[in-house]
Amino acid sequence: MLSDVTTPQDLDDRFRETLAALAAPPQRRDPARPVTDDTTLTGARALELFDAQATSRQLDLAGRWLHSFGEGFYTTGSAGHEGNAAVAAALRATDPALLHYRSGAFYCVRAAQADGSASAERPEAEWPVAERPEGERPEGERPVAGRPGSEPAGAERVGAERAGTGQLAGEPGGVDRPAAADGPVEVDPAGPGDGRVPGGPAGSAAPVAADPDAPEPDEPAGGAGSVVDRPLHPGYAEAARDVLRGMVASSREPIAGGRQKVFGRADLAVVPTTPTVAAHLPRAVGMGLAVERLRRLDTSGRRDGARAGSGDGAEQVSWPTDAIVVCSFGDASVNHASATAAFNTAGWYDHTGLRIPVLFVCEDNGLGISVRSPKGWVATTLRSKPGIRYFAADGSDLVRAYEVAVEAAAWVRRHRRPAVLHLSTVRLMGHAGADAETAYRSADEIAADLDRDPLAGTARLLVGAGVATGEELLARYDEIGWQVRRIAEEVLDEPKLTVPAEVVAPLAPRRPVRLARAIADAAARATGPGAAARAEAFGGKPPELTGPLTLAQSINAALADGMLDHPQMAVFGEDVGAKGGVHGVTKGLRDRFGAARVFDTLLDETSILGLGLGAGLAGMLPVPEIQYLAYLHNAEDQLRGEAATTQFFSQGAFRNPMVVRVAGLAYEEGLGGHFHNENSVAVLRDVPGLVIAVPARPDDAAPMLRTCLASAAVDGSVCVFLEPIALYHTRDLYADGDSEWLAPYAEPGAWTGGHVPLGRARVYGVGSAEDVTIITFGNGVRMSLRAAATLADEGIGTRVVDLRWLSPLPVADIIREAAATGRVLVVDETRRSGGVGEGVIAALVDAGYVGAARRVAGVDSFVPLGPAARQVLVSEEAITQGARTLLAR
C-alpha cells in the first residue's frame, strides 16, 4: 500500500486499486431507482455525477501533465472537492454562481445542466466517441497518445513511458484505451432516466416512481449490459475544453480569453471571480440583495446595467425571479476580513427584515495551503453567524451531500434568506503543482484523506447499489481520461494573446460618441416624456431656476436627475438616507425616490462596495457613497480585485457598472486629522480601467456626474467620483461675498452642449495667459486661480488647467497647454511620492516636452490635526512662488 500520495500517478494508482477491490454486486439494480432507500438520488443520476467527478479529476491530472512540459500554467485543482458536483445538481442552471478555484465538478454539472440534450448540435469528434469504431479518426483530428492506430502525440514533449509523472491516468502502461463492453444498457441519452432534465436541478421534474413491492431486477432495465456504454454527456466535454483552455491560456477560452484561469461563462450563469481569497463574497451578498429587490420592484428598465457583451445590442443578463445566488469558498477564507464582512452584512440585513437569497458554500478541507484550520473552528464560526441558516454534509458522501444541498437550496429559495452549507472535503495532490505537502503533513494524514476520496466514494456507492461494477466504472474513468487528454492536446495548438491591444481590449471600453448620445437622450427625456415627473420630483422648482448653486447642491441636483433618468439607479451608503449624508449632499433624495432606491447601509466600506458590485452585476446602476476617502482604503480591493477586473476577465460578458461617490481630499476646516483630510489617491490611479473624476466647480460637477452615470450604463465603467470636501459649500473665490465659486445649474436643453467627455480638461485664462501654465485639480483649482490673480497684478499671464479627470488623464490637453507657454507648474495637493503630479510630469516627458517644469506638491506625510496641516499641504503662497521661480530661469 502506498504510504503517501503526492503525484498524479500515485493518485491514479490508488483509485485503480480501490475499484479493483470492489466486489461485484450480487444483483443489478434498475438505474431509474434510488441508489439507497433514504434518498431520491437515482442510480442514473449518480452515474451522471460520477462522470462529472471523473471529468474533474482527469482535468486535474491533465493540468499536472501540461505543466510538466511547460505548456500549462495552472495546477490548483479540484481533487478531493468533487463532492461539489452534488451542490451543482441541487441548483438550477439559472442560479448565478461565484465559484472558487476547486470547482471543477460543479462546473461540469452546470455545463451539462445548461446543455440539456444538445449532443446533436456538436460534431461527433467532440464527445463522446464510444460509438466510433476502434481505429477510426475523423478527418482533421490529431493523433492521440494511447489511441489505436495513432502515434503518441506529445511524446516528444514528455516521453511515452509511464514511469514519468507526465503519464496521465486513463492510459495505464501506455496500452490502448479500453474498448466498450458489449450489450449496452438502454438509457435515453437525452436524460438520466430519472424523469429529470439531464444534469438538471433537483425537483425540475418529478422522479419516476418505483414500486416498492416490485422485485429487484437482476439486470438493468432495458436489457443486459454495461453502464460503460451510456453516452457521456456532451456538456462535460464542453466544460473540459473550457477548463483546459484556461490552463494553457488559450485566447479561445470562453470567459477570460486567455487572461486568467477562472470558472465562468455567461450562458452558465457562472460569474468569474479573481483568485483573491474571499473577495467575491461581498459581491455575492450584493447580488442577492439586488436579485431580491429587482424581483419585488420588477421595473421595466431594471436590467439595463447588466449585459452579456458590451455592444448596445448585446443580450441582457437576466435571472428568474426565484433565482438564488451561490458562492463557494474554502475553509481558510472564513477568517478573511472580506468573508467576515459578507456574513455580517447578510445577517445584518436579514435582521432588519430585508431578504438576501444567498447560499454560501464552504468547502472545508482543513487546510489553507499548509496552515491547518483548528479542529471545530470552521463549524463553530459558521454556526455562530446570526441570520444565516447552517447546513452541513460530508462532501465525500454523494448521497448525503446531495440531499443536504437540495434541502439548503430549497430553504434559501423558499425563504429568500441566506444560508451556509458547510461541506467537509479533502485535498488530494497538495495545494498546487509546486506544493510538496509531505513537508508539513504526515503519511498517515495523507492516507486518511485518500480513504475519503469522493470519486472512490461515489464508485463504492454505485457498486454497492448494484448499478455498476468496479471494472465498468474504471473503464468509464479511462474513457473520460482518454477524452480529456485528447482535448488537452488539441488546445495546445490554439492561439495565445500576443499583442498588448488584444490583452487590454475588454478592460475598459470607451465609446465617446455613444456616451454623448446617451447624454443627449437623457436631455430629450427630461424635456419631453419625463418633464412632468421631473417637475414633480423637484417640487415644481427645478434646480436651474433656483439660482447659483454650491458644489454640494449641484451634485445633489444631478443625482436627482440621474435617478429620474435611470430607473435602476440606487444611492446608498452610511447616513445617506434620512440624514442626507454627513455633508448634506444626498439631502431630500430618499423623500423623493423612496427607501428602496435611497437607503442607509451598515458601517463597513467593504460591504458597501460589495453591495454595489453585486447590484451592478444584477442589473442595477449603483451609486454607493464612501463617507471619507480615508475609509476607502479599508476596502480598496473590492475596486481593484473585483470591480475593475470583471470585464477584463469576462471579455465584457459580465459588467458591474458603478459610480462610487467619495468625499475626500484635504483642507476641510473644523475637522482634522488624516481620517477627514486624506490626500492620497495613488491607490486608485494604478487600477487599470478605473475612471476617476474630481469636480472642483459646481458647473463641472453636474455634467461630470452625468458623464460617469452614462459611462457606467453604456460601457459598464467603474467610476470613482471624488468630491473635494472643502469645496462642498464654498461660495466665494477672490473675496468674501463675491459668490464667484457658485454656478447655475444647466437646464436639460443645455446638457448636450455642456457635456464633459471623459479625459478632457478645462482651461482658465488669467491675464494674457501667455507666461506660465499651471496644471492642477480639486482644491488646487481654486488656489491656483487665486494665485493667478496675484500674478496678474505683477503682469504675469497664467493658464490654469483643471485636469478634472485623474483617469483617464487628459494628456492631449496637458501637452497643448504646456506647449503654449513653455513653462509648466504642476500643483498637486496629493503627496510628492505617488502623487498625481508624477503622472503629469511623466506625460510631458513621454510627449517630448522640452520646456521648463516644476512641481508644488504635498509633503510625504499624513495630514495632521489643526494648524499643523498647513505645514504639509500646498498653499497659495507656494503656488505663487513656484510660478515666479519658473519665470526667473
Side-chain angles (χ1 to χ4, degrees):
M1 182 62 64
L2 296 169
S3 62
D4 55 43
V5 174
T6 57
T7 69
Q9 179 178 332
D10 292 336
L11 183 61
D12 178 54
D13 284 344
R14 174 64 178 258
F15 180 71
R16 292 175 181 282
E17 291 175 9
T18 298
L19 264 61
L22 295 177
Q27 288 184 317
R28 300 300 293 263
R29 183 189 295 249
D30 183 347
R33 299 187 62 177
V35 289
T36 62
D37 294 336
D38 58 349
T39 184
T40 59
L41 183 67
T42 66
R45 190 74 178 103
L47 282 167
E48 290 279 352
L49 296 181
F50 174 84
D51 288 350
Q53 292 179 319
T55 303
S56 178
R57 177 65 56 83
Q58 295 287 7
L59 284 170
D60 285 359
L61 303 181
R64 305 288 181 118
W65 172 69
L66 289 165
H67 188 68
S68 70
F69 53 91
E71 291 286 354
F73 308 101
Y74 196 89
T75 55
T76 302
S78 306
H81 283 246
E82 291 92 349
N84 56 39
V87 179
L91 297 164
R92 298 176 184 171
T94 50
D95 290 331
L98 296 89
L99 305 177
H100 73 143
Y101 44 63
R102 300 193 189 279
S103 300
F106 185 111
Y107 188 74
C108 289
V109 173
R110 176 58 64 91
Q113 287 174 325
D115 180 271
S117 58
S119 57
E121 299 176 5
R122 284 171 174 74
E124 184 205 30
E126 185 80 0
W127 189 296
V129 297
E131 303 87 75
R132 294 211 301 260
E134 291 296 329
E136 284 191 12
R137 183 168 71 246
E139 184 177 354
E141 181 180 327
R142 290 180 54 186
V144 180
R147 182 169 181 177
S150 299
E151 294 297 324
E156 68 278 14
R157 298 188 180 101
V158 295
E161 296 179 352
R162 193 172 189 272
T165 58
Q167 178 63 41
L168 185 72
E171 298 177 11
V175 298
D176 296 341
R177 70 181 181 92
D182 295 330
V185 178
E186 294 184 8
V187 179
D188 182 3
D194 63 351
R196 296 183 176 91
V197 177
S204 59
V208 177
D211 182 0
D213 298 324
E216 191 76 28
D218 292 333
E219 300 284 346
S226 167
V227 297
V228 174
D229 291 327
R230 294 174 65 257
L232 294 163
H233 201 288
Y236 296 155
E238 192 173 10
R241 191 172 295 275
D242 291 350
V243 173
L244 288 166
R245 280 173 163 163
M247 288 178 178
V248 301
S250 166
S251 62
R252 294 177 182 171
E253 192 272 331
I255 190 69
R259 293 167 183 84
Q260 179 72 29
K261 162 62 179 69
V262 291
F263 289 110
R265 252 178 55 191
D267 61 323
L268 303 184
V270 177
V271 181
T273 66
T274 60
T276 308
V277 174
H280 58 299
L281 272 67
R283 181 202 295 252
V285 176
M287 288 176 65
L289 181 65
V291 165
E292 186 62 11
R293 280 185 178 274
L294 295 173
R295 184 179 78 90
R296 292 173 178 270
L297 294 173
D298 200 23
T299 54
S300 59
R302 73 184 193 274
R303 300 292 180 185
D304 290 351
R307 298 178 187 273
S310 57
D312 280 352
E315 179 186 354
Q316 295 184 359
V317 173
S318 181
W319 296 300
T321 56
D322 64 345
I324 67 173
V325 179
V326 61
C327 177
S328 63
F329 52 97
D331 55 289
S333 296
V334 167
N335 306 298
H336 198 279
S338 296
T340 299
F343 296 141
N344 185 68
T345 302
W348 189 86
Y349 274 113
D350 187 77
H351 188 74
T352 66
L354 293 176
R355 299 311 187 205
I356 299 184
V358 176
L359 177 61
F360 297 105
V361 180
C362 177
E363 297 185 22
D364 181 1
N365 62 31
L367 288 163
I369 304 184
S370 66
V371 180
R372 291 174 174 79
S373 293
K375 187 174 182 180
W377 169 251
V378 175
T380 300
T381 300
L382 295 178
R383 284 180 183 274
S384 67
K385 301 300 181 185
I388 300 178
R389 183 71 173 266
Y390 178 86
F391 296 86
D394 182 356
S396 299
D397 183 339
L398 184 67
V399 169
R400 296 279 70 78
Y402 176 77
E403 292 295 338
V404 175
V406 167
E407 181 185 2
W411 189 90
V412 174
R413 199 179 307 279
R414 181 171 63 253
H415 295 285
R416 318 302 296 170
R417 297 177 63 188
V420 60
L421 171 57
H422 182 195
L423 198 68
S424 61
T425 65
V426 293
R427 190 191 72 188
L428 306 178
M429 291 197 298
H431 174 74
D435 178 32
E437 62 177 348
T438 51
Y440 54 87
R441 301 187 74 196
S442 69
D444 288 343
E445 288 179 287
I446 296 171
D449 274 0
L450 277 163
D451 290 338
R452 294 184 56 213
D453 180 352
L455 185 60
T458 301
R460 293 188 190 97
L461 171 71
L462 291 167
V463 173
V467 176
T469 66
E471 181 182 1
E472 291 168 341
L473 294 177
L474 181 57
R476 196 162 185 79
Y477 170 80
D478 282 342
E479 170 66 21
I480 292 172
W482 180 85
Q483 293 285 0
V484 168
R485 169 67 74 89
R486 179 179 64 84
I487 295 173
E489 292 189 336
E490 289 173 358
V491 301
L492 285 175
D493 292 335
E494 293 186 348
K496 308 292 192 292
L497 298 172
T498 56
V499 296
E502 290 180 337
V503 175
V504 302
L507 179 63
R510 299 280 186 256
R511 295 175 294 184
V513 174
R514 296 186 185 183
L515 220 60
R517 186 188 307 142
I519 300 294
D521 291 344
R525 287 189 290 269
T527 56
R534 187 169 186 265
E536 180 182 357
F538 286 109
K541 192 174 184 180
E544 59 266 25
L545 300 181
T546 60
L549 305 180
T550 64
L551 180 70
Q553 291 169 334
S554 182
I555 295 172
N556 177 277
L559 285 171
D561 271 324
M563 297 284 281
L564 289 165
D565 193 56
H566 300 278
Q568 75 277 28
M569 177 175 160
V571 174
F572 53 91
E574 301 165 21
D575 304 301
V576 304
K579 183 176 176 64
V582 296
H583 306 289
V585 180
T586 58
K587 185 177 180 179
L589 293 181
R590 192 183 74 164
D591 293 338
R592 295 179 193 175
F593 300 102
R597 298 186 65 195
V598 182
F599 56 93
D600 293 322
T601 65
L602 72 176
L603 194 154
D604 178 58
E605 286 71 30
T606 294
S607 296
I608 292 171
L609 294 179
L611 292 174
L613 280 163
L617 197 64
M620 298 176 68
L621 180 56
V623 184
E625 177 184 294
I626 301 297
Q627 206 165 82
Y628 285 97
L629 176 59
Y631 304 156
L632 178 67
H633 299 301
N634 301 333
E636 184 270 337
D637 189 54
Q638 288 295 301
L639 290 179
R640 184 203 65 83
E642 294 295 310
T645 62
T646 297
Q647 294 199 87
F648 184 69
F649 288 146
S650 72
Q651 302 182 94
F654 289 103
R655 323 182 319 168
N656 37 229
M658 183 164 61
V659 179
V660 185
R661 292 183 45 252
V662 184
L665 300 177
Y667 301 97
E668 182 185 17
E669 296 182 2
L671 286 175
H674 75 283
F675 279 114
H676 300 98
N677 281 306
E678 172 60 273
N679 64 340
S680 174
V681 298
V683 74
L684 297 173
R685 287 183 56 242
D686 75 343
V687 178
L690 197 68
V691 172
I692 307 174
V694 185
R697 289 184 53 86
D699 48 346
D700 279 333
M704 289 174 69
L705 183 55
R706 279 192 287 272
T707 296
C708 285
L709 291 172
S711 182
V714 172
D715 291 332
S717 301
V718 180
C719 306
V720 174
F721 199 73
L722 183 57
E723 303 164 6
I725 298 174
L727 298 178
Y728 267 147
H729 307 296
T730 298
R731 304 177 66 86
D732 307 321
L733 176 54
Y734 299 113
D736 291 346
D738 67 15
S739 297
E740 291 197 33
W741 204 254
L742 303 177
Y745 189 86
E747 62 179 350
W751 290 357
T752 302
H755 170 52
V756 178
L758 292 176
R760 291 302 305 273
R762 179 175 181 174
V763 182
Y764 300 85
V766 182
S768 67
E770 295 178 351
D771 298 313
V772 64
T773 299
I774 297 178
I775 301 176
T776 187
F777 64 96
N779 293 289
V781 178
R782 184 172 180 272
M783 290 188 295
S784 295
L785 288 173
R786 290 168 62 91
T790 299
L791 292 170
D793 291 341
E794 302 173 9
I796 300 172
T798 306
R799 293 169 180 254
V800 177
V801 180
D802 178 4
L803 294 171
R804 298 195 292 194
W805 306 95
L806 303 187
S807 181
L809 202 65
V811 174
D813 296 331
I814 290 171
I815 303 307
R816 183 188 66 246
E817 298 304 320
T821 65
R823 300 181 184 89
V824 173
L825 179 66
V826 180
V827 176
D828 180 5
E829 66 175 287
T830 63
R831 300 167 191 165
R832 180 167 292 273
S833 298
V836 176
E838 290 182 347
V840 174
I841 296 295
L844 289 169
V845 172
D846 288 345
Y849 173 73
V850 294
R854 282 181 62 87
R855 274 194 301 162
V856 176
V859 175
D860 289 344
S861 168
F862 298 109
V863 181
L865 189 66
R870 300 171 191 161
Q871 307 307 311
V872 299
L873 296 175
V874 173
S875 66
E876 292 176 28
E877 292 77 12
I879 298 171
T880 305
Q881 187 56 43
R884 292 180 183 135
T885 301
L886 265 178
L887 291 166
R889 287 184 175 180

